[in-house]
Amino acid sequence: MLLVFSLFTSCDSRKEQEKQADIRLKHIEQLISQNTLNAAKIEIDSIHLLFPKLVEKRKIAAAFEDTIARRESSRTLAYCDSILPKKQHELDSIQRNFRFEKDLSFQEFGNFVYKTQLTESNSNRIYIKSYVDENSDLYLISNYCGPKIDHTSIEVSVGDLIARTDTLATTSAANHSFNDGGMHWETLTYKNDAANGVAGFITQEASKRIKVSLHGKKSYVYYLADSDKRAIAETYRLWVVKKDLTQLEKEIRKARIRIARINKFR
């Protein structure tokens, strides 16, 4: 009798669980139809958590997961496809003032250099150079020639507003110095975040007089030329747009892969 009672109790319990699961599944369907997708995801998680033994109900919940993933991916594709041409047009417009440089013998990625900062036109000048490569990386280079100062960082300032790069040890591969024809040369190369917002600072303050302080064993101070401020600001804009474009293309690839995977296992 105890065994029979236990079986009936177990059956009643399972029926009640199935009833509760069906209620939740109906709610998930309503949430999806209302495009309340995050709430639907939470409800789907609750099905898996509360009813681990109800395999058929969990299969239905998993199918809803695919429905949500397909809908989200389609929405992402529609948005990215609408934005992509505008970003590409913006990129093409900015790049008109840049020259593409690439030495196939040693460069994996070519560089986009602003027209006034081409190396051959600035060989004997103290200035900050910037460029963006094909991989959407931003480079900021401090070029110095004169008495040896062993500078290891760059500081730019307008009044009390200051931005300063990371410090590069003289032993760092990004800190290079040499002598040529009786002249001493020093270059510091910063990539992306290592510049600590210096390029962004110059872009924001480009209409003002920007002081550049080179810090190291000795210091050197000069003011950034208008042509360099414009070049760095345009390079920074190019970097931002190229990053946006790269991210859009990445999201499109991810969305297409998700949709293809879901369709494959339908």
Side-chain angles (χ1 to χ4, degrees):
M1 288 179 65
L2 286 173
L3 179 60
V4 171
F5 178 76
S6 176
L7 288 171
F8 274 116
T9 302
S10 176
C11 288
D12 287 344
S13 175
R14 186 177 181 86
K15 285 180 181 179
E16 181 59 29
Q17 284 189 349
E18 290 181 344
K19 181 180 176 181
Q20 292 300 319
D22 285 337
I23 292 171
R24 288 179 179 271
L25 289 170
K26 185 66 176 177
H27 186 216
I28 291 168
E29 190 174 11
Q30 290 172 348
L31 290 172
I32 292 173
S33 68
Q34 296 165 0
N35 269 325
T36 316
L37 302 183
N38 286 333
K41 289 179 189 177
I42 293 172
E43 282 294 299
I44 289 171
D45 288 341
S46 73
I47 294 285
H48 295 305
L49 181 65
L50 296 173
F51 311 110
K53 295 182 179 180
L54 301 184
V55 176
E56 293 305 316
K57 304 300 181 186
R58 292 182 65 193
K59 284 182 179 179
I60 297 172
F64 280 138
E65 282 183 281
D66 286 345
T67 299
I68 291 171
R70 188 185 299 109
R71 186 168 296 191
E72 286 180 332
S73 297
S74 298
R75 186 186 298 172
T76 297
L77 274 178
Y79 172 76
C80 291
D81 285 342
S82 68
I83 297 295
L84 194 65
K86 298 175 185 177
K87 283 291 178 184
Q88 186 62 57
H89 177 74
E90 187 179 359
L91 181 70
D92 293 341
S93 177
I94 297 172
Q95 279 186 179
R96 289 195 190 104
N97 292 319
F98 288 77
R99 188 170 81 182
F100 181 69
E101 300 178 334
K102 185 173 185 178
D103 189 327
L104 296 175
S105 62
F106 71 93
Q107 279 187 289
E108 181 181 1
F109 302 112
N111 306 323
F112 295 92
V113 184
Y114 195 72
K115 58 185 179 181
T116 61
Q117 292 203 319
L118 301 175
T119 302
E120 60 267 27
S121 306
N122 297 276
S123 57
N124 294 309
R125 199 161 70 85
I126 300 173
Y127 73 112
I128 297 175
K129 179 179 180 176
S130 60
Y131 65 85
V132 176
D133 70 12
E134 288 180 284
N135 197 42
S136 300
D137 289 316
L138 173 68
Y139 291 84
L140 207 64
I141 303 172
S142 173
N143 289 287
Y144 168 83
C145 59
K148 188 175 182 179
I149 62 172
D150 283 332
H151 77 294
T152 55
S153 67
I154 316 165
E155 179 186 285
V156 290
S157 60
V158 174
D160 294 331
L161 300 175
I162 294 172
R164 186 167 177 168
T165 64
D166 285 351
T167 297
L168 297 177
T170 53
T171 54
S172 169
N175 188 332
H176 182 59
S177 63
F178 63 96
N179 294 299
D180 183 27
M183 289 288 291
H184 178 74
W185 304 83
E186 298 177 8
T187 60
L188 301 185
T189 302
Y190 293 93
K191 181 179 176 180
N192 296 333
D193 294 337
N196 277 347
V198 167
F201 180 92
I202 293 170
T203 302
Q204 185 175 340
E205 305 295 333
S207 63
K208 301 171 185 174
R209 197 165 184 241
I210 299 176
K211 183 169 76 171
V212 181
S213 302
L214 308 182
H215 297 290
K217 288 184 178 178
K218 295 180 181 179
S219 296
Y220 184 85
V221 174
Y222 66 98
Y223 286 87
L224 207 56
D226 288 342
S227 59
D228 291 327
K229 287 188 288 185
R230 184 164 49 254
I232 293 167
E234 286 297 294
T235 304
Y236 186 79
R237 282 183 59 214
L238 178 65
W239 179 53
V240 171
V241 174
K242 279 185 73 66
K243 283 201 305 178
D244 289 346
L245 200 57
T246 300
Q247 187 60 37
L248 283 170
E249 291 169 344
K250 186 183 296 183
E251 291 301 322
I252 287 172
R253 285 195 299 272
K254 284 168 56 179
R256 285 176 177 165
I257 289 170
R258 288 179 74 188
I259 291 172
R261 178 182 56 79
I262 292 167
N263 291 339
K264 181 179 179 181
F265 293 103
R266 283 185 67 183

